[in-house]
């Protein structure tokens, strides 16, 4: 496996480009109020990726299973433009599932755009989905929004599945954090041998 340069200092997060409605953004001034089809959103994502690829020597694209079709958009863009895996840094995250069914806004305040699930079963499902869309391009695969409440820091079965992923696929592992106690979550994660590079 080719060793790449270090993680770039800045990257393009695909959250707002991979799905038609993002939780805290009103994008009517950019997309208008018409229905944002998959084709419209993919074309917009492609224009942004064109600019990124043309302006940076070593671009970084960050996706997640919960960012709608971000992995599909990025994988199709990179393959159709014949971007070699060694010329781009790609990360993605697992642990949330996008459930908004390509709607810009949801019917009720109780409806959700995404559902969090850090179970081993969800990891095994989502790692296969990520591999299908981005396989040869993935450099870093992260737990999306690790917290003490989600149980992922103590789940030895999930840790074994993550370690197997790293060993079999060569992907680096990581995690993102949110909510209270972020520094404590990071310290607890650093004690886990499945994160350590060998």
């Amino acid at each position: 496996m080719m060793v790449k340069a270090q993680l770039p200092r800045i990257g393009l997060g695909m959250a707002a480009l991979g799905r038609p409605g993002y939780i805290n953004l009103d994008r009517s001034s950019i997309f208008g109020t018409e229905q944002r089809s998959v084709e419209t959103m993919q074309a917009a994502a492609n224009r942004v990726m064109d600019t990124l690829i043309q302006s940076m020597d070593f671009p970084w694209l960050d996706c997640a299973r919960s960012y709608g079709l971000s992995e599909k958009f990025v994988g199709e863009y990179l393959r159709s433009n014949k971007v070699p895996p060694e010329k781009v840094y790609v990360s993605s995250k697992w642990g949330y599932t996008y459930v908004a069914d390509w709607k810009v806004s949801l019917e009720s305040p109780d409806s959700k755009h995404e559902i969090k699930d850090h179970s081993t079963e969800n990891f095994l499902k989502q790692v296969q989905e990520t591999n299908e869309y981005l396989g040869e391009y993935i450099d870093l695969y992260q737990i999306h929004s690790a917290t003490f409440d989600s149980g992922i820091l103590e789940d030895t079965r999930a840790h074994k599945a993550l370690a197997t992923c790293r060993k079999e696929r060569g992907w680096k592992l990581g995690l993102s954090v949110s909510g209270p106690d972020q520094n404590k979550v990071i310290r607890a994660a650093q004690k886990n041998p499945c994160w350590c590079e060998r």
Side-chain angles (χ1 to χ4, degrees):
M1 184 173 81
M2 177 174 286
V3 177
K4 294 187 181 180
Q6 288 186 341
L7 180 69
R9 291 178 60 97
I10 190 167
L12 173 64
M14 296 295 294
L17 291 165
R19 58 200 233 188
Y22 195 60
I23 298 166
N24 58 356
L25 296 177
D26 177 11
R27 296 173 297 163
S28 298
S29 61
I30 297 169
F31 292 105
T33 56
E34 78 281 353
Q35 185 64 32
R36 294 171 202 152
S37 67
V38 172
E39 295 77 19
T40 299
M41 293 301 298
Q42 187 163 16
N46 287 349
R47 287 192 299 273
V48 174
M49 287 188 280
D50 278 340
T51 300
L52 180 75
I53 296 292
Q54 292 165 13
S55 63
M56 294 186 72
D57 291 334
F58 191 57
W60 173 19
L61 294 159
D62 180 60
C63 303
R65 292 301 307 135
S66 62
Y67 296 171
L69 297 176
S70 67
E71 291 180 335
K72 176 182 184 292
F73 290 174
V74 169
E76 288 180 1
Y77 176 89
L78 295 173
R79 290 180 184 114
S80 66
N81 286 280
K82 298 181 172 44
V83 177
E86 64 272 14
K87 296 293 186 184
V88 63
Y89 198 98
V90 178
S91 57
S92 195
K93 297 177 285 297
W94 73 275
Y96 279 86
T97 300
Y98 174 67
V99 294
D101 196 28
W102 208 256
K103 294 184 173 96
V104 175
S105 58
L106 301 177
E107 289 79 24
S108 77
D110 296 333
S111 298
K112 297 184 178 186
H113 287 265
E114 55 194 28
I115 296 174
K116 186 173 188 174
D117 178 0
H118 283 164
S119 68
T120 304
E121 289 73 21
N122 195 45
F123 169 73
L124 293 172
K125 173 182 171 284
Q126 291 195 330
V127 74
Q128 290 295 335
E129 293 166 343
T130 298
N131 188 60
E132 178 184 336
Y133 290 122
L134 291 170
E136 72 273 25
Y137 286 101
I138 283 286
D139 296 290
L140 173 63
Y141 204 50
Q142 302 172 89
I143 298 169
H144 201 166
S145 188
T147 61
F148 290 116
D149 291 342
S150 75
I152 188 62
L153 298 175
E154 297 83 27
D155 188 341
T156 56
R157 189 166 162 250
H159 299 168
K160 287 177 185 175
L162 286 159
T164 299
C165 173
R166 186 185 68 196
K167 182 179 178 182
E168 292 179 353
R169 300 182 192 281
W171 299 353
K172 292 179 182 166
L173 300 178
L175 59 103
S176 67
V177 294
S178 62
D181 298 323
Q182 293 181 27
N183 60 334
K184 293 178 182 175
V185 171
I186 291 170
R187 287 192 189 109
Q190 288 173 328
K191 296 175 184 174
N192 191 317
C194 89
W195 310 114
C196 302
E197 294 297 325
R198 296 278 187 238

